[in-house]
Amino acid sequence: MTLNSKATWEATEPHLDASHHKYIVLHHTAGPAGQTVEDIDAEHKAQGWAGVGYHRLVYTNGEIHEGRPDDVMGAQAKGLNAWSIGVVAIGTFTSVLPPDVQWKALVNCLAVECHRWDIPVSRIIGHRDVSGIVNDPADATACPGDALYAKLPQLRLDVAKYL
C-alpha cells in the first residue's frame, strides 16, 4: 500500500492557500495505539475519500507524520475542512490521556502549525466543536475523546508556552 504522492494530491484534490488556515482541529483515531498512517489511509480510502484525511498524525511514540499536504483540503472536519488543519493523535482517548511522549509531540506539532499559519492558540479546537461552529448538529461527534477533550485548555496553555 502506498500513500498518495504530492503530485497525486495536487492533481485530484481542492487546493488551499494560507488564508484558509483558521483553525487546527484535534482528533483521535479511536483505534489501537499501533495504527499507522498507512492503516488510516486505507480506512479513509475504503470510505471513498482520496486518502488519509488529516494533515498531521502524532504517534504514541512521539513521531509526527505528514498526511495530506498543507495546501490540500482535509477530509477531517465536515463543514470546516476548507478552513482547518487536521491533527490526529493515534489511539483512543475516551478515558485515558496520551502518553507523555505523545503529549509533548502534540504540543510541538500544534505549536509549529500555529506559528506556520498564524493561527491563534485559542483556535485549537476538538473535532466535537466543529458542529457548533458550522451550526450543524447532525455532524456532532465525541472526538477527540472525553479525556483528551477535557485537557484541551491545558494543551492550549502548553502550546502557548512552547511558542
Side-chain angles (χ1 to χ4, degrees):
M1 211 282 307
T2 309
L3 295 175
N4 292 341
S5 68
K6 185 158 176 65
T8 299
W9 284 117
E10 289 175 352
T12 61
E13 295 301 301
H15 292 275
L16 307 173
D17 60 30
S19 70
H20 282 87
H21 301 319
K22 303 292 185 194
Y23 294 91
I24 298 173
V25 180
L26 180 63
H27 303 265
H28 72 153
T29 59
Q35 279 180 298
T36 65
V37 65
E38 292 84 7
D39 297 333
I40 295 163
D41 185 66
E43 288 175 17
H44 288 183
K45 284 177 178 172
Q47 293 179 39
W49 301 349
V52 62
Y54 312 109
H55 296 94
R56 299 286 179 278
L57 300 93
V58 182
Y59 285 68
T60 56
N61 67 2
E63 291 181 23
I64 301 168
H65 288 257
E66 183 177 18
R68 290 184 182 217
D70 292 340
D71 64 341
V72 172
M73 187 167 68
Q76 42 85 31
K78 187 176 178 188
L80 208 59
N81 283 322
W83 304 102
S84 64
I85 294 285
V87 175
V88 67
I90 305 294
T92 301
F93 302 110
T94 54
S95 60
V96 299
L97 290 171
D100 286 343
V101 67
Q102 188 177 25
W103 182 269
K104 289 175 184 170
L106 272 171
V107 169
N108 176 288
C109 179
L110 295 169
V112 166
E113 297 305 322
C114 283
H115 177 74
R116 178 179 290 151
W117 304 112
D118 197 27
I119 298 172
V121 172
S122 62
R123 291 228 175 151
I124 298 171
I125 61 172
H127 184 195
R128 66 176 64 181
D129 296 320
V130 173
S131 66
I133 292 169
V134 301
N135 199 24
D136 189 354
D139 290 320
T141 176
C143 185
D146 289 342
L148 183 53
Y149 187 76
K151 286 296 197 176
L152 261 178
Q154 183 61 53
L155 186 60
R156 289 184 195 107
L157 285 172
D158 290 355
V159 169
K161 287 179 192 173
Y162 190 91
L163 289 169

